[in-house]
Each structure stands twice: as structure tokens, then as C-alpha cells.
Amino acid sequence: MTQISSRPRSELLAVGIFVTAVTILVTQFISATPAAVAVGDESTRIGNLGWQFTLRDVALITISAYAAGGSTIVLLTEADPTSSTIADAEQTDASTRQSTSESSNELLEARREEWETVSERLTSNEEVVYQAVLEADGVLPQSEIVDRTDLSKATVSRTLDSLEAKNLAERKRHGMGNTVLLT
């Protein structure tokens, strides 16, 4: 005999409660008691003032609303045992970040070796500017180069022109200044 697991039964129960609760809610709202008002002393005229709910109606509506909400929460939070949980997703994300970080560190080290080889064949000012950017992992604002070296703004700018002409560096506009990237 095949045994059905408890998870589908709980889902089936939650669906049954939800459908029943919604049916009761709809029925109660459709069949509310109209409030009648008699007007005048000698003649009776009945007019509808609106809809009114008895205490029993209010109790049924409240219980049905809670049942519908609770069963909806159960249905939405039931997790499929074959799907990954939040913890699994976070663990996978952490391992992906770690492997990405390791590969980017390896790439940075390879690029650093290339940049150091290039640095050896530059003129004095070019080497000073290039080394300043290299020490910042290949990205540095132009104003920082001026601060980190004893070179003037004009000398740094001319030197960067020379490095750009040799395709060793690139300036990107960033706000009011430039950011220098080693290529």
C-alpha cells in the first residue's frame, strides 16, 4: 500500500480551509440583512437604508477571514523539499563570492606583474606616476597622484598624456576630476 506523505495532506487541508473560508465570506457579504425603515404616522412606507450584519454574521466573517489568511500563509510558506532553502542559497552565494574574489585576486596579481614589467622601461616622471597608480591597484584619482608624488599638477597631466599615448594608462572623467586606470 502506498503511503502519502504528510506534506501534501497539509497543503490539501490548507487549500480546503481557504476555499471554505472564502466561500463563507462571499456568502456573508452577498446575503447581508437589509435595514428597513418605516416612515410616517398614518402610512407605512419601507425604504432600504443599507446593509446590516448581525453579531453571528460578524463572527462568521471574522473567523473566515482569519482562516483564509492563515491557510494562505501556510500555502505560501510550504517549501518543496527538492528546492533549495534560503540557507543553501546563501551558502552558494558565499562560495561564489569567494571563488570570484580568488579569481579576481589572481587576475590582479597577473596584471600587477605586467605593470611592474612595464614600469621598468619608463622615464623618471612616467615611472613615478605609473608606480603611484600601480600601488593603488591600478586605479587612482588624478588629484591623488599629485598628492602622493612631489610632481605639480601640470607635470602629472603631461606625464599622463605621455602614458596615454603609449597606451599604458587611461583617464576617465569622474565628477570634477579624472580617475586614472592602468591598461
Side-chain angles (χ1 to χ4, degrees), residues 23 31 89 96 101 107 109 119 149 170 183:
T23 303
S31 65
T96 303
S101 175
L107 180 61
E109 287 302 316
S119 174
T149 63
E170 179 182 357
T183 54

Side-chain angles (χ1 to χ4, degrees), residues 141-160:
Q142 187 170 339
S143 60
E144 285 287 317
I145 297 171
V146 174
D147 294 341
R148 292 184 184 195
T149 63
D150 291 331
L151 303 174
S152 68
K153 289 180 182 181
T155 303
V156 168
S157 183
R158 281 193 306 272
T159 305
L160 287 171

Side-chain angles (χ1 to χ4, degrees), residues 128-150:
V128 169
V129 170
Y130 198 86
Q131 281 295 327
V133 179
L134 179 61
E135 289 171 3
D137 292 331
V139 179
L140 190 66
Q142 187 170 339
S143 60
E144 285 287 317
I145 297 171
V146 174
D147 294 341
R148 292 184 184 195
T149 63
D150 291 331

